[in-house]
Amino acid sequence: MARILTGIQSSGRPHLGNILGAIRPAVELSKLPDNESFFFIADLHSLTTIKDGAARREYIRAVAATWLAFGLDTEKNTFWRQSRVAEHTELAWYLNCFTPVPMLNNATSFKDKSEKFASSVNAGLFTYPVLQAADILLYDANIVPVGKDQKQHLEMTRDIASAVNNFCGEPIFVLPDARIDEKLMTIPGVDGQKMSKSYNNYVDIFLPDNELYKVIKKIKSDSTPLEEPKNPDTDVTYQLYSLLATDAQLDEMRQNYLRGNYGYGHAKKALYELIVEIFAEPRRVFNYYFLENPDALEAELQRGEEKARAVASKTIARVREQLGFN
Ligand code: ADP
Ligand code: TRP
């Protein structure tokens, strides 16, 4: 039995990149009979960048509703808010005291953020990887599916875990492996760069139809006239379509591009219609939990939090015992 664990920060509403690159593959992994999954909302991590409480509340609900919309089975798996299981922060403190400062100084994500935030850079950003290590080690996770930008954080988690294990002279923590699917990391945004909240180039599939179509129409294209043939391989609409379409649908669009008399507007309409069609059920479930029945969402999370606490409290007991806090 492998334990799969991953977290998504509640730093915005999940977009198509998050869904295809992280949420949907994680849910697929959780369906394998031998896997037991732990998926949580990294709301404490989101405090490193987002301070506004109302925004956080909305994003937590949006991230949670997205997991459920993509079919996470909360009976079989564990699904919770990081901030509601106090053991995360308790373990993070213990781990802080085993983490060499030079290791944190070397974290590329911290270096990037300290450049971006300059003098307003906060200590939470500095110790971010330690809280992430606590998230993982608390649940004895074996496999952590993440994007490749998280590779270094996983290496740090293993280093911190090994430091504690060596100190204690016994395997207190399980050493987790990252699972990185390189080909999933490249989902482009409407401007052709990597889709990201921070570039404001994302496709939010949960928008109402007309707003969604407006976003799709913004996808970058060149000025090749309608009647001329177009290169599908350099076009962002085609790239996004290829992530969702069947082989037959994709082949049809490809032929249209190559033949000419087919404009980017046609391709965008086809992409919009495909999104509406294949995500009809996730969009319905998202709206149910996010808009119509937030109490049902809250109930799911609270149930998950009890399950998470039951596991986390055992790990914490082990650590307290070792460190003399019992
Ligand atoms: P953002 O860049 O929008 O802030 P996050 O860093 O919060 O996204 O990413 C959350 C998860 O979604 C990560 O596991 C990451 O691998 C995945 N992800 C984000 N953007 C993309 C993308 N453009 N293509 C594929 N996966 C992505
Ligand atoms: N740092 C991760 C990200 O930005 C989110 C995260 C927090 C996480 N804790 C985690 C991912 C534990 C995996 C495991 O994508």
Side-chain angles (χ1 to χ4, degrees):
M1 168 83 83
R3 246 186 210 185
I4 318 287
L5 176 143
T6 199
I8 300 241
Q9 282 197 66
S10 46
S11 48
R13 284 167 58 114
H15 53 66
L16 193 59
N18 303 140
I19 289 167
L20 299 183
I23 295 175
R24 205 171 65 171
V27 172
E28 287 312 309
L29 210 54
S30 76
K31 288 184 181 158
L32 299 179
D34 284 344
N35 289 347
E36 182 190 9
S37 296
F38 287 75
F39 296 149
F40 68 97
I41 299 160
D43 54 354
L44 293 172
H45 279 109
S46 78
L47 184 58
T48 57
T49 49
I50 292 181
K51 302 291 191 265
D52 181 64
R56 187 174 348 277
R57 234 172 262 125
E58 180 191 336
Y59 298 155
I60 289 172
R61 291 199 303 113
V63 176
T66 306
W67 279 107
L68 298 179
F70 280 86
L72 178 66
D73 176 351
T74 56
E75 202 62 54
K76 178 184 173 200
N77 306 297
T78 305
F79 174 57
W80 74 103
R81 285 164 291 204
Q82 180 192 33
S83 64
R84 300 296 177 99
V85 180
E87 283 82 354
H88 287 252
T89 43
E90 182 177 347
L91 183 58
W93 178 255
Y94 302 148
L95 299 182
N96 263 315
C97 299
F98 285 86
T99 304
V101 167
M103 181 199 279
L104 297 178
N105 271 330
N106 271 330
T108 40
S109 68
F110 177 68
K111 285 187 206 157
D112 293 347
K113 283 178 182 154
S114 33
E115 270 168 34
K116 189 168 151 201
F117 296 105
S119 62
S120 71
V121 70
N122 62 70
L125 280 168
F126 187 61
T127 57
Y128 182 114
V130 184
L131 179 58
Q132 182 161 351
D135 299 336
I136 297 168
L137 301 177
L138 206 44
Y139 298 92
D140 296 331
N142 308 106
I143 297 172
V144 184
V146 280
K148 64 172 177 255
D149 57 323
Q150 296 297 311
K151 195 169 170 216
Q152 194 185 26
H153 287 167
L154 264 291
E155 284 160 5
M156 292 164 85
T157 300
R158 291 174 63 95
D159 288 348
I160 297 169
S162 303
V164 177
N165 287 350
N166 286 339
F167 172 79
C168 297
E170 52 180 291
I172 300 294
F173 294 127
V174 172
L175 298 194
D177 286 306
R179 172 162 313 175
I180 297 167
D181 190 338
E182 303 274 343
K183 71 177 186 303
L184 286 176
M185 268 318 287
T186 45
I187 293 159
V190 296
D191 59 356
Q193 292 190 78
K194 174 188 177 270
M195 187 180 291
S196 173
K197 285 180 283 276
S198 26
Y199 304 147
N200 208 5
N201 62 353
Y202 54 86
V203 177
D204 179 348
I205 63 160
F206 300 121
L207 288 175
D209 289 354
N210 55 345
E211 288 176 43
L212 175 61
Y213 197 19
K214 263 191 216 151
V215 174
I216 301 289
K217 283 184 188 156
K218 280 196 212 143
I219 296 174
K220 179 182 130 187
S221 51
D222 62 29
S223 52
T224 315
L226 177 85
E227 53 288 355
E228 277 182 32
K230 297 173 183 64
N231 183 356
D233 299 319
T234 53
D235 182 53
V236 181
T237 306
Y238 184 83
Q239 278 171 42
L240 287 170
Y241 194 75
S242 73
L243 295 165
L244 305 170
T246 62
D247 290 349
Q249 285 170 322
L250 190 61
D251 193 53
E252 189 187 337
M253 185 178 277
R254 190 172 187 85
Q255 297 313 323
N256 284 332
Y257 270 65
L258 298 173
R259 194 179 310 118
N261 266 328
Y262 183 81
Y264 293 114
H266 295 121
K268 289 175 185 177
K269 182 157 181 280
L271 173 62
Y272 161 72
E273 285 169 354
L274 187 62
I275 290 178
V276 170
E277 182 200 325
I278 64 176
F279 294 130
E281 182 60 9
R283 291 173 91 217
R284 186 192 67 74
V285 179
F286 179 90
N287 284 336
Y288 171 77
Y289 284 112
F290 187 73
L291 295 175
E292 295 151 21
N293 206 338
D295 290 348
L297 183 63
E298 181 62 30
E300 284 287 0
L301 287 165
Q302 288 190 12
R303 195 161 63 107
E305 279 141 20
E306 273 177 39
K307 284 162 74 179
R309 256 177 238 125
V311 179
S313 59
K314 290 208 180 95
T315 313
I316 277 291
R318 223 154 69 205
V319 180
R320 284 187 194 155
E321 162 87 28
Q322 282 290 331
L323 301 180
F325 289 108
N326 57 331

